Amino acid sequence: MLQHFDPSKGSAYKGSPDKDYGTPARLSETLVTLDIDGVQITVPEGTSVMRAAALHDINIPKLCASDNLEAFGSCRLCAVQIEGRRGYPASCTTPAEAGMKITTQNGKLARLRRNIMELYISDHPLDCLTCPANGDCELQDMAGAVGLRDVRYGFEGENHLDAKTDSSNPYFSFDASKCIVCSRCVRACEEVQGTFALTIEGRGFDSKVAAGQGGDFMSSDCVSCGACVQACPTSTLMEKSVIDAGQPEHSIVTTCAYCGVGCSFKAEMKGDQVIRMVPYKGGDANHGHSCVKGRFAFGYATHADRIKHPMIRDSIDQPWREVSWEEAIGFAARRLKETQAKYGRESIGGITSSRCTNEETYLVQKLVRAGFRNNNTDTCARVCHSPTGFGLKATLGESAGTQTFDSVMQSDVIIVIGANPTDAHPVFGSLMRRRLREGAELIVADPRRIDLLKTPHLKDAQHLPLRPGTNVALINALAHVIMDEGLEDTDFIASRCDDKGYQAWRAFISDARHSPEQMEAVTGVSAEAVRRAARTYATAPNGAIYYGLGVTEHSQGSTMVMGIANLALATGNIGREGVGVNPLRGQNNVQGSCDMGSFPHELPGYQHVSDDAARARFEQVWGVTLDDEPGLRIPNMFDSAIAGTFKALYVQGEDIAQSDPNTHHVESALKSLDCLIVQDIFLNETAKFAHVLLPGSSFLEKNGTFTNAERRINRVRKVMPAVAGKEDWEVTQDLANALGYPMNYAHPSEIMDEIASLTPTFTGVSYDKLDQLGSIQWPCNDEHPDGMPTMHVEDFPIGRGQFAITEYVATEERTNRRFPLLLTTGRILSQYNVGAQTRRTDNQIWHDEDVLEVHPSDAELRGIRDGDWLGISSRAGQTVLRARISERMLPGVVYTTFHHPGSGANVITTDSSDWATNCPEYKVTAVQVEKVSQPSEWQQNFRSFEKLQHKLLKGDAATLANGNGAG
Ligand code: SF4
Ligand code: SF4
Ligand code: SF4
Ligand code: FES
């Protein structure tokens, strides 16, 4: 029987996040009381003696134990005396038992520990004063704790002092001369990260840590998550930033600004300089784990490319002029007013960013609605998870995932559809892998063989390699099997779901046209595999579904989200731990940017602009009359710009020129604007078309909150001053004031107070409460004062669960003789989204260009070899990428990433989009590939335009004089 373990539970015995209790918490409801050094201590059964003692501040010396790893019992430093037992058992591996009487300190134990430490130190360089870990070294601490004064053994005999240092990883080094072979690193890589990149090679004196098959870290399977570095009690594994800059002197807890996992980190500082980011054990999303991006890729914040001064220009072929904040804001406000005066109130708009904080996003949409006096606000979530909002609201009544991340530890069957958690949501991917190692079953529906399917110690996983664009056909076939074979949860359906809708759906889905046998020709997945997967999910005690952009970024994205919800409702997999429907959000604040009213039809809290009562509440607080008609979505803004009716745009922290589909169309739209105001930390692709460039602030330079994929609101805390002197919210506020709409916030906490007053799901949220609780999962209100980890436990916000009719409609983007292959796109671990941040870090080492993955059979047919330049043509355009032959895709499917602007991945994606939300169909583009010898025309133009814009950034008037215009 699969045991369920929830790392977030057991709070009474959880202890402080700032202390290492030696072994993990245990959750048994049976308590045992024992005597340690005369103190009566009660702990859950299964707790180690070491942990029981540490919970009461009796700190037993230790070296090989750490409370994020299972006890190993190798160093013996933690020996204790137990009345009635022989010898000196290790306290880390000895479970506490009722009635035990334990002594942790006496003369014999002290001698034993000193002898052990003496042996360690006799084979360890005595360079503590010059060691980078000086002051932060457990070996040093333990030598002090056991009172070691001298070492009787010399270094004459065999030792490891000449062992080589491996510096191959850009972020940390491995100095083997300092290794005490405690194996904490090996266990961290296995238990916490789930990569199994490290081993202990050899035996006895010759045993040593090895990365991969005796190579270095870079040539091993290591994914640079940093778990081993954090686990190492010596300076053997050490961050290079600490070696270079010395030990930090203070720390501030904040939230990673990369993906939707929302990991908490301690920014460890020396003055204003970040020395290292250490994953915070008290973080409820990550419990002290991290990935390479959050842990190491923070250097972009101080990169030389940062925009440090406001800049303006009249047209995009002119040099930028550095100006004061006042002048830039005044220029922007004047241009916006002039545009509205000339072209009307609806001719301008704003785009919020899922990378910015809730408070910043709220302010931008408020500026648009109250300052611009229209609803032309949209967000980059339009191009990723807008179908999630639509589909989940229609079926479950709330536009958000239903679970905590920790819930996966209670799942027996995990379905992953169109998501790649180990690359795109790595810390959650590690948690999922842990559950899979414990025995949960995995079903992956994806055209690619994602790495999760290669999880070490995974049992018999099921892969449904469907053709891109056939998600709905597959989900319908799965549902058909459930009804056909009587696997539905009739009690749940009767008690929780709308009967009329259910009966209609039942009749629809039971039709033979949805059977896996009929759908086999459409999806490419065998009927037998579909039937097996449906049975596995429907009969599991707890079945959970996780999905990503491979679900939403389709012409039927919203239909598919509803299809997933149908499946969960039909099997009763909603409303408790271990189950649910869980969108894996791409960027750090996708959930938050949607919650904050970024969409043109919804005020904060998903309150429709046509709802008179909701509008009245906002009108009273904002002091203006609001438009009751939805405004323009991003694609409509582009179309209207080209049509000449939409003339000015304010874009905060978003790179639409790179991230939106059909680049030719987007560039024409941006060139059609009279005024483009871009607020960003770098001269991004969009800024190259801008007239006003307002320096943005990185997550390290501001206060605010992010909301992660589990609806968890986390605090972002300022650790260094903003490079250009203003946090992003202050810039929006200045622009509002310059436009004549007053905003007077003194701190983002006041913006959150306003959000709480206007958003029913946020009424209980405040910075004080966030400081007190660490994080809050909304809804947080009178009914749920501390938030709500699992949604829909007793009912749905819409009363009963609504089944939706999900007819499969084939995408118009089909292969034919001219475009015989299907292109699908995705992400990789080391780069983030459009790459603006990660490309400015050493993460470039892992992925310095986007490549096109081609199946060997397609490659052979075209005479393509690994590394060849390939021209990729679609109905929208052409680009050129290097080939990588790979068996991860099906024949007929090619794959690329979009992390480098010059790749032009979106030059070829079309503007086909989701029927309900306009989310682009990035995941399906019909293409042809052929060997070529030079970049595409777009790429050649891109390079010369980029070169020009960098010259103009430096105010290079000579560029103009030479007549080198932008065209
Ligand atoms: S950095 Fe992470 S993946 Fe690499 S060896 Fe260490 S624990 Fe394993
Ligand atoms: S590298 Fe560090 S954690 Fe790993 S075995 Fe050596 S001392 Fe222990
Ligand atoms: S998993 Fe996501 S939130 Fe966590 S450290 Fe990595 S990028 Fe940051
Ligand atoms: S800490 Fe217990 S044996 Fe090492």
Side-chain angles (χ1 to χ4, degrees):
M1 166 82 185
L2 198 53
Q3 295 295 304
H4 291 138
F5 166 67
D6 180 349
S8 70
K9 297 259 172 72
S11 54
Y13 301 97
K14 217 160 124 182
S16 154
D18 297 314
K19 178 169 172 172
D20 186 341
Y21 294 85
T23 63
R26 293 292 182 241
L27 305 174
S28 172
E29 283 172 12
T30 310
L31 299 178
V32 294
T33 300
L34 70 167
D35 176 311
I36 303 180
D37 292 346
V39 182
Q40 294 296 301
I41 293 174
T42 301
V43 287
E45 195 175 36
T47 304
S48 71
V49 167
M50 173 180 277
R51 185 176 179 93
L55 283 165
H56 289 264
D57 279 333
I58 300 170
N59 299 316
I60 302 169
K62 62 182 177 60
L63 270 176
C64 69
S66 181
D67 62 10
N68 63 342
L69 304 173
E70 290 303 321
F72 192 56
S74 71
C75 74
R76 313 296 299 174
L77 203 63
C78 67
V80 291
Q81 206 161 14
I82 305 178
E83 197 174 271
R85 290 202 193 173
R86 291 218 324 253
Y88 301 97
S91 61
C92 63
T93 50
T94 306
E97 286 171 20
M100 263 182 171
K101 203 158 183 297
I102 288 170
T103 302
T104 71
Q105 305 283 352
N106 63 26
K108 277 189 182 158
L109 288 169
R111 275 194 298 282
L112 180 66
R113 290 175 186 152
R114 270 200 294 274
N115 282 342
I116 293 168
M117 279 309 294
E118 199 176 351
L119 284 169
Y120 276 124
I121 299 296
S122 69
D123 190 12
H124 195 83
L126 295 178
D127 60 355
C128 287
L129 279 183
T130 51
C131 175
N134 189 19
D136 182 29
C137 170
E138 289 182 46
L139 190 69
Q140 195 179 42
D141 293 347
M142 287 306 119
V146 305
L148 185 70
R149 295 290 168 260
D150 32 64
V151 176
R152 284 166 293 166
Y153 320 109
F155 293 119
E156 301 81 40
E158 256 194 295
N159 60 49
H160 298 88
L161 300 178
D162 291 331
K164 295 269 178 301
T165 297
D166 172 0
S167 298
S168 60
N169 188 287
Y171 295 118
F172 59 84
S173 68
F174 173 75
D175 178 354
S177 73
K178 295 188 170 165
C179 180
I180 59 170
V181 203
C182 65
S183 103
R184 271 165 70 164
C185 53
V186 178
R187 289 178 286 141
C189 192
E190 292 175 4
E191 294 174 29
V192 180
Q193 166 57 24
T195 292
F196 293 73
L198 304 178
T199 47
I200 301 283
E201 260 181 15
R203 286 177 172 271
F205 179 82
D206 291 326
S207 55
K208 61 174 189 187
V209 172
Q213 302 301 314
D216 58 22
F217 272 77
M218 277 306 269
S219 48
S220 75
D221 287 341
C222 169
V223 292
S224 299
C225 72
C228 56
V229 182
Q230 204 177 339
C232 183
T234 66
S235 66
T236 312
L237 281 160
M238 189 97 216
E239 296 91 348
K240 289 182 177 173
S241 59
V242 177
I243 296 172
D244 292 345
Q247 289 287 330
E249 36 81 8
H250 73 276
S251 68
I252 299 166
V253 175
T254 189
T255 305
C256 177
Y258 279 119
C259 84
V261 178
C263 296
S264 298
F265 279 85
K266 266 186 174 175
E268 295 198 345
M269 312 289 300
K270 189 177 258 184
D272 288 342
Q273 186 189 359
V274 178
I275 301 296
R276 65 179 164 193
M277 297 292 282
V278 178
Y280 183 50
K281 199 166 76 170
D284 290 315
N286 60 322
H287 305 295
H289 190 34
S290 60
C291 82
V292 60
K293 293 190 283 284
R295 177 77 153 97
F296 296 118
F298 53 86
Y300 71 87
T302 48
H303 194 275
D305 288 353
R306 282 290 300 269
I307 301 295
K308 299 195 179 74
H309 307 279
M311 284 181 275
I312 57 174
R313 59 182 175 179
D314 285 320
S315 67
I316 66 166
D317 53 4
Q318 287 190 354
W320 285 102
R321 271 196 305 126
E322 267 182 35
V323 293
S324 66
W325 275 108
E326 291 69 28
E327 189 174 348
I329 296 284
F331 179 88
R334 199 168 54 250
R335 284 287 193 102
L336 290 171
K337 279 191 207 164
E338 284 167 3
T339 306
Q340 276 190 316
K342 193 165 166 193
Y343 297 99
R345 191 164 53 89
E346 303 289 340
S347 62
I348 68 174
I351 294 178
T352 71
S353 171
S354 297
R355 276 183 250 176
C356 289
T357 64
N358 285 317
E359 294 75 2
E360 288 157 357
T361 305
Y362 173 86
L363 231 52
V364 171
Q365 63 84 35
K366 179 177 177 182
L367 169 71
V368 171
R369 298 184 201 279
F372 296 179
R373 307 294 296 276
N374 63 40
N375 286 321
N376 292 338
T377 168
D378 207 358
T379 177
C380 48
R382 166 76 49 220
V383 298
C384 66
H385 267 286
S386 48
T388 287
F390 181 91
L392 294 187
K393 187 145 192 175
T395 48
L396 309 181
E398 195 60 88
S399 302
T402 59
Q403 310 297 123
T404 60
F405 289 137
D406 290 343
S407 159
V408 78
M409 296 307 289
Q410 312 227 27
S411 302
D412 302 288
V413 170
I414 300 167
I415 303 191
V416 177
I417 311 176
N420 186 7
T422 53
D423 277 44
H425 303 88
V427 165
F428 178 61
S430 290
L431 191 67
M432 198 181 254
R433 279 189 150 163
R434 185 161 155 188
R435 185 62 187 157
L436 294 172
R437 286 197 305 277
E438 288 177 356
E441 291 189 65
L442 176 68
I443 299 166
V444 169
D446 201 295
R448 283 200 316 152
R449 197 168 172 76
I450 58 170
D451 284 351
L452 202 60
L453 286 160
K454 293 188 237 150
T455 296
H457 308 297
L458 177 67
K459 281 196 214 143
D460 196 21
Q462 300 176 40
H463 181 204
L464 310 177
L466 75 169
R467 286 198 190 101
T470 63
N471 282 337
V472 174
L474 180 71
I475 205 84
N476 284 348
L478 288 164
H480 177 92
V481 176
I482 287 165
M483 304 314 291
D484 186 37
E485 302 190 6
L487 303 174
E488 74 273 26
D489 183 339
T490 45
D491 289 348
F492 183 90
I493 295 167
S495 61
R496 299 288 308 274
C497 300
D498 175 61
D499 188 55
K500 200 168 154 223
Y502 168 64
Q503 295 303 341
W505 177 78
R506 186 189 171 95
F508 160 79
I509 208 71
S510 302
D511 191 287
R513 73 181 190 280
H514 301 302
S515 72
E517 289 72 19
Q518 298 249 350
M519 282 294 124
E520 192 173 307
V522 174
T523 62
V525 183
S526 76
E528 193 188 334
V530 174
R531 285 200 177 267
R532 180 177 166 222
R535 287 177 201 134
T536 306
Y537 172 70
T539 56
N542 285 337
I545 305 178
Y546 293 85
Y547 71 88
L549 303 179
V551 158
T552 53
E553 291 177 343
H554 285 276
S555 57
Q556 281 204 292
S558 293
T559 316
M560 179 61 182
V561 172
M562 293 191 285
I564 290 172
N566 287 341
L567 206 63
L569 288 171
T571 52
N573 277 312
I574 292 275
R576 60 182 188 278
E577 293 286 280
V579 299
V581 175
N582 303 283
L584 293 172
R585 308 288 191 154
Q587 303 203 67
N588 51 328
N589 201 32
V590 176
Q591 182 68 55
S593 75
C594 299
D595 300 343
M596 291 300 107
S598 297
F599 290 129
H601 64 295
E602 282 170 337
L603 292 157
Y606 306 99
Q607 303 173 81
H608 204 278
V609 290
S610 63
D611 177 342
D612 293 343
R615 243 183 18 263
R617 281 194 297 277
F618 282 87
E619 286 173 345
Q620 196 189 1
V621 174
W622 292 356
V624 289
T625 307
L626 295 173
D627 198 341
D628 61 358
E629 286 287 325
L632 299 175
R633 296 172 174 184
I634 292 174
N636 308 132
M637 292 183 194
F638 293 151
D639 293 345
S640 306
I642 290 169
T645 54
F646 186 77
K647 300 298 286 183
L649 181 62
Y650 168 42
V651 186
Q652 183 184 72
E654 179 51 22
D655 196 359
I656 46 180
Q658 191 183 343
S659 61
D660 284 49
N662 196 349
T663 307
H664 288 300
H665 184 68
V666 177
E667 289 180 353
S668 314
L670 296 179
K671 281 181 188 166
S672 307
L673 296 172
D674 284 355
C675 177
L676 176 61
I677 305 161
V678 169
Q679 183 175 346
D680 208 286
I681 60 177
F682 299 115
L683 180 82
N684 63 20
E685 299 313 308
T686 311
K688 291 172 185 163
F689 298 90
H691 306 91
V692 183
L693 185 49
L694 302 171
S697 45
S698 78
F699 78 112
L700 296 167
E701 298 154 39
K702 58 196 178 191
N703 282 299
T705 55
F706 293 148
T707 307
N708 76 353
E710 26 156 41
R711 294 169 280 108
R712 188 182 299 284
I713 308 163
N714 272 314
R715 274 284 273 120
V716 177
R717 294 186 178 85
K718 184 171 181 165
V719 306
M720 58 169 71
V723 294
K726 283 187 195 285
E727 298 178 32
D728 284 319
W729 64 272
E730 293 177 282
V731 179
T732 309
Q733 170 159 295
D734 288 350
L735 186 56
N737 285 324
L739 282 166
Y741 178 73
M743 287 190 189
N744 295 297
Y745 306 98
H747 189 270
S749 62
E750 295 177 7
I751 306 175
M752 179 53 84
D753 292 343
E754 185 175 307
I755 294 166
S757 75
L758 287 167
T759 311
T761 43
F762 273 66
T763 47
V765 180
S766 69
Y767 278 28
D768 281 348
K769 190 177 257 184
L770 284 165
D771 287 343
Q772 188 197 327
L773 298 179
S775 64
I776 301 171
Q777 283 177 276
W778 67 256
C780 173
N781 44 29
D782 288 347
E783 228 179 304
H784 308 284
D786 292 344
M788 193 190 207
T790 305
M791 296 198 85
H792 317 310
V793 175
E794 277 156 15
D795 52 18
F796 294 96
I798 44 172
R800 292 186 157 246
Q802 298 291 335
F803 282 88
I805 303 294
T806 52
E807 191 69 66
Y808 167 66
V809 180
T811 171
E812 284 172 13
E813 189 62 23
R814 288 179 213 169
T815 54
N816 57 20
R817 275 174 57 195
R818 195 163 150 228
F819 301 114
L821 300 169
L822 284 179
L823 169 77
T824 186
T825 61
R827 301 165 191 232
I828 53 138
L829 172 68
S830 56
Q831 296 284 3
Y832 173 70
N833 204 269
V834 294
Q837 292 138 290
T838 41
R839 278 186 281 111
R840 290 178 172 95
T841 70
D842 285 335
N843 279 26
Q844 276 289 83
I845 288 178
W846 289 286
H847 185 85
D848 60 0
E849 65 175 337
D850 296 316
V851 294
L852 188 78
E853 294 187 31
V854 186
H855 190 272
S857 61
D858 296 319
E860 199 184 330
L861 203 68
R862 292 165 177 79
I864 296 167
R865 281 175 310 183
D866 213 60
D868 282 347
W869 286 110
L870 295 182
I872 309 139
S873 314
S874 74
R875 293 175 182 91
Q878 201 212 26
T879 198
V880 173
L881 294 173
R882 214 186 280 276
R884 177 169 301 153
I885 312 298
S886 160
E887 287 187 348
R888 289 202 297 177
M889 289 86 42
L890 297 167
V893 179
V894 291
Y895 170 84
T896 190
T897 48
F898 51 89
H899 301 303
H900 294 268
S903 306
N906 281 326
V907 174
I908 35 182
T909 53
T910 65
D911 42 20
S912 163
S913 66
D914 175 43
W915 61 272
T917 66
N918 273 154
C919 182
E921 191 168 38
Y922 289 119
K923 300 295 177 185
V924 194
T925 310
V927 296
Q928 175 60 295
V929 301
E930 58 187 344
K931 278 175 35 170
V932 292
S933 54
Q934 60 174 20
S936 71
E937 193 185 333
W938 179 86
Q939 282 168 316
Q940 290 173 31
N941 289 340
F942 171 85
R943 281 177 203 169
S944 57
F945 186 55
E946 184 179 44
K947 215 163 134 196
L948 168 71
Q949 288 301 327
H950 279 284
K951 278 186 178 176
L952 297 175
L953 184 66
K954 293 183 189 130
D956 189 352
T959 309
L960 237 198
N962 292 339
N964 197 355

